[in-house]
Amino acid sequence: MRLLLVGLVSLLGFIVLTVIAMHSVRQQMIEDRVARIRYLAEVGRGVLQWQYQRFQNGEIDEARAKKEALDELRTLRYGNNEYFFVDDFDCVSILLPNIPEWEGRNFTDEVDSDGKQFVRMQRDTALRGGGTVYYKFPKEDSQISVNKAAYILPFMPWKWLLGTGVYLDDVDSEIRDILSHLLAGFFVVVAIAGGLVTLISRGMTKPLEQLTRVIRRLTERDYEVQIDGKERSDEIGDIARALEIFKQTGREFEALQLESRRKEIAVAEERAAWLEQQHESAVRLEQTSRLITVGEMATSLAHELNQPLATITNYCRGCVTLLEEGVADRQAVLEPMRKATAQAVRAAMIITRIRTYLRRSAPVLDAQDLGEIIGETVELTELAARRQGISILVNRPPSLARVMADRIMIQQLVLNLIRNSIDAMQAGISDEQQLTITSAQVGSFVETQVIDQGPGIAPEHWEKIFRPFFTTKPDGMGMGLNICRSIIEFHGGRLWISANSAGGAIFHFTLPCETAQP
């Protein structure tokens, strides 16, 4: 009886460890499927990006770009007829190949059979940058909802979310098949062991203990464990051979998983290297633009510095003359020296502004006072504007929200827009011209408008002017506004142009408020 009890306990342990192993295998199978759909979701987003780039390059209009992207995604199938789907950020279905009659339907309040608002979950996951969502959804030509895992990615230019998923019922089916085979073998072993326990109890106890240890190590993914007894023709040998098969299968599965992870890492490293290269190019281009800007402003800056330096020289010469004639008292010399000191401070502040503008470090997004940045930039351009008969007016509410921005990059953006407006107004016919800069909070963003009174820009050029090397100036390089748009997109904002009803153009840009950051 005691030996029988030991045998039953050992077999019970075998069941528990098998269940644990099956659970581990199930999790690994699900993780493998999620890794695959994540890669496929990136492929799908690449289709959207390609069509969007064609639209950006002017090859096709936006409506056609969207249609061709959706048509291409609709035809893509893989695995067990799995598909891609697309919703917008308002939870309206745009592409649903398995149930096309649901396209155009708002799923904001839609729930699955477990009560989950799965479309909202997908939308929220996309807004956080993407991830996996688990829910229940019917298969094609079926009304029965089954477990599904979908990987969601956002496509911000069109405010879409793209996803693809796999149904998990096949995982459970495979696990049940494996488990049923293992249980079938287990019950066979139990039946044989029950009938022969008295005869072979001594020869079975030790092998069972060894096999139990082997199973435990297999559940810990130790596929180097040695399995003894495979040459035996009894039940112990059957179990040992079954465990050998399980070990080989686990080893192959782990090798496949390792290879998949290695490929993912390689792809991620290549993408990171490409992004770093693009970032370095953008930084070098921005630095070059700042140096060119300062070179173009050199005459104005020299004139601005010459005024305090000439004043200092005159005061110092006067003091020297008084001292040489021996008629100066302390008070007569002190006041001119104070004025000379004030002018020296003024010259130092001018130089400090230029040094700050030229200084470059890695972009850092932190809370910034946009009004202060605009004020500093206006100081750099005010002299050149006055010489052209242009006054600069800055309007902003006293409690304007702080924005998340890199100070130097936004100063470069504002400087480019102001100088473009000054260049445009040089051709104006009004004697008294005014450049107006206004800022106001709009939702979770701060919108700034740079309003000039120049000849304006033709509507057909509103998108072209942001492309590299496109310019309406005879001596322009066509890079300033392209750099401005790159800066704004880096900050997660928008840059666009509209017509000024009073004549001229209005450049708009938005930056996210500090309170809008997660």
Side-chain angles (χ1 to χ4, degrees), residues 24 77 90 112 129 148 172 194 268 271 348 370 380 433 466 492 504:
S24 176
R77 295 296 178 103
D90 293 325
D112 65 5
K148 186 173 184 179
D172 295 328
R271 179 174 176 79
L370 182 58
L380 289 172
Q433 298 186 91
F466 296 109

Side-chain angles (χ1 to χ4, degrees), residues 96-140:
L96 191 60
N98 68 325
I99 313 178
E101 60 269 20
W102 285 6
E103 295 178 0
R105 176 178 167 184
N106 192 311
F107 285 87
T108 302
D109 300 318
E110 190 75 16
V111 298
D112 65 5
S113 57
D114 290 338
K116 295 180 180 178
Q117 292 180 317
F118 60 97
V119 180
R120 283 192 181 185
M121 293 167 57
Q122 292 172 355
R123 188 265 313 278
D124 295 340
T125 300
L127 292 175
R128 291 193 298 268
T132 308
V133 177
Y134 295 92
Y135 58 99
K136 289 189 175 180
F137 197 77
K139 284 188 171 182
E140 191 170 4

Side-chain angles (χ1 to χ4, degrees), residues 24-154:
S24 176
V25 170
R26 183 179 185 277
Q27 290 299 114
Q28 290 299 319
M29 293 174 70
I30 292 176
E31 290 177 8
D32 179 66
R33 282 161 171 75
V34 169
R36 183 178 61 179
I37 62 175
R38 178 181 179 181
Y39 170 78
L40 291 170
E42 291 284 0
V43 172
R45 186 162 67 173
V47 172
L48 297 179
Q49 184 62 44
W50 166 248
Q51 296 297 341
Y52 178 76
Q53 190 63 45
R54 293 182 65 199
F55 158 62
Q56 289 288 297
N57 293 339
E59 298 176 18
I60 56 177
D61 59 29
E62 188 173 26
R64 183 179 173 188
K66 290 181 178 180
K67 181 179 183 304
E68 292 192 3
L70 293 175
D71 290 344
E72 186 172 350
L73 290 174
R74 190 183 298 277
T75 61
L76 294 179
R77 295 296 178 103
Y78 62 92
N80 295 324
N81 206 27
E82 308 294 357
Y83 55 89
F84 293 87
F85 60 89
V86 177
D87 296 339
D88 64 19
F89 287 172
D90 293 325
C91 300
V92 175
S93 175
I94 297 175
L95 175 68
L96 191 60
N98 68 325
I99 313 178
E101 60 269 20
W102 285 6
E103 295 178 0
R105 176 178 167 184
N106 192 311
F107 285 87
T108 302
D109 300 318
E110 190 75 16
V111 298
D112 65 5
S113 57
D114 290 338
K116 295 180 180 178
Q117 292 180 317
F118 60 97
V119 180
R120 283 192 181 185
M121 293 167 57
Q122 292 172 355
R123 188 265 313 278
D124 295 340
T125 300
L127 292 175
R128 291 193 298 268
T132 308
V133 177
Y134 295 92
Y135 58 99
K136 289 189 175 180
F137 197 77
K139 284 188 171 182
E140 191 170 4
D141 300 327
S142 174
Q143 298 299 321
I144 301 175
S145 295
V146 296
N147 289 325
K148 186 173 184 179
Y151 197 86
I152 309 298
L153 286 174

Side-chain angles (χ1 to χ4, degrees), residues 155-443:
F155 188 68
M156 300 307 296
W158 289 338
K159 298 188 183 308
W160 285 1
L161 65 87
L162 176 139
T164 186
V166 292
Y167 292 96
L168 301 180
D169 56 337
D170 61 330
V171 174
D172 295 328
S173 177
E174 290 182 26
I175 293 296
R176 283 194 296 271
D177 289 340
I178 295 173
L179 190 59
S180 63
H181 284 89
L182 288 176
L183 288 176
F186 165 74
F187 284 120
V188 170
V189 172
V190 169
I192 297 174
L196 302 177
V197 65
T198 304
L199 298 176
I200 59 174
S201 58
R202 291 185 179 180
M204 183 173 286
T205 301
K206 185 176 180 180
L208 281 176
E209 291 176 352
Q210 293 175 343
L211 290 176
T212 302
R213 288 193 293 270
V214 167
I215 293 172
R216 184 179 295 109
R217 292 177 64 180
L218 287 176
T219 60
E220 296 171 353
R221 301 186 186 180
D222 180 5
Y223 299 118
E224 301 302 321
V225 61
Q226 180 65 34
I227 302 176
D228 297 326
K230 297 188 294 293
E231 71 284 355
R232 294 177 58 158
S233 58
D234 54 12
E235 292 80 1
I236 297 297
D238 292 339
I239 297 174
R241 286 187 288 276
L243 289 175
E244 182 66 27
I245 294 172
F246 184 85
K247 184 182 78 170
Q248 294 300 328
T249 302
R251 180 182 292 162
E252 292 172 1
F253 177 79
E254 188 146 294
L256 288 173
Q257 188 180 40
L258 183 62
E259 180 65 21
S260 176
R261 289 175 180 171
R262 190 179 296 115
K263 290 180 179 179
E264 279 188 29
I265 292 172
V267 170
E269 289 177 349
E270 290 178 4
R271 179 174 176 79
W274 181 82
L275 290 174
E276 180 64 23
Q277 183 181 6
Q278 294 298 312
H279 173 71
E280 290 177 358
S281 298
V283 170
R284 286 195 297 269
L285 184 59
E286 181 203 351
Q287 176 71 4
T288 302
S289 175
R290 287 203 311 279
L291 292 173
I292 292 172
T293 300
V294 171
E296 293 173 348
M297 295 169 61
T299 302
S300 297
L301 293 172
H303 180 75
E304 190 172 354
L305 282 172
N306 187 57
Q307 290 182 346
L309 292 176
T311 303
I312 292 170
T313 301
N314 290 335
Y315 281 131
C316 289
R317 284 176 176 171
C319 291
V320 170
T321 300
L322 291 174
L323 292 172
E324 287 177 345
E325 293 176 353
V327 296
D329 58 15
R330 182 176 180 274
Q331 190 61 36
V333 175
L334 186 59
E335 186 61 28
M337 293 305 293
R338 284 176 176 168
K339 293 181 178 180
T341 301
Q343 292 299 316
V345 170
R346 177 187 170 194
M349 290 177 65
I350 294 170
I351 294 172
T352 299
R353 289 202 305 270
I354 299 303
R355 291 182 61 192
T356 301
Y357 176 70
L358 289 175
R359 188 181 299 119
R360 178 70 261 175
S361 59
V364 176
L365 299 182
D366 52 14
Q368 297 287 345
D369 185 336
L370 182 58
E372 184 179 291
I373 295 175
I374 293 174
E376 291 177 355
T377 309
V378 167
E379 289 180 3
L380 289 172
T381 58
E382 204 162 23
L383 178 61
R386 288 200 305 268
R387 295 175 65 186
Q388 300 295 333
I390 300 170
S391 62
I392 301 178
L393 175 63
V394 179
N395 292 327
R396 72 182 184 100
S399 58
L400 186 65
R402 293 165 70 85
V403 296
M404 295 301 296
D406 178 87
R407 190 179 190 88
I408 300 301
M409 293 180 79
I410 298 305
Q411 193 176 54
Q412 169 72 26
L413 163 75
V414 175
L415 182 61
N416 280 357
L417 295 180
I418 291 176
R419 294 185 68 250
N420 280 351
S421 297
I422 292 174
D423 291 344
M425 287 193 288
Q426 289 181 10
I429 60 175
S430 173
D431 293 333
E432 296 182 359
Q433 298 186 91
Q434 181 171 279
L435 171 62
T436 306
I437 304 174
T438 66
S439 297
Q441 184 170 349
V442 180

Side-chain angles (χ1 to χ4, degrees), residues 457-467 470-472 497:
I457 298 175
E460 61 267 22
H461 292 161
W462 284 3
E463 279 302 320
K464 295 179 182 178
I465 60 174
F466 296 109
R467 297 177 187 170
F470 181 88
T471 180
T472 58
I497 185 176

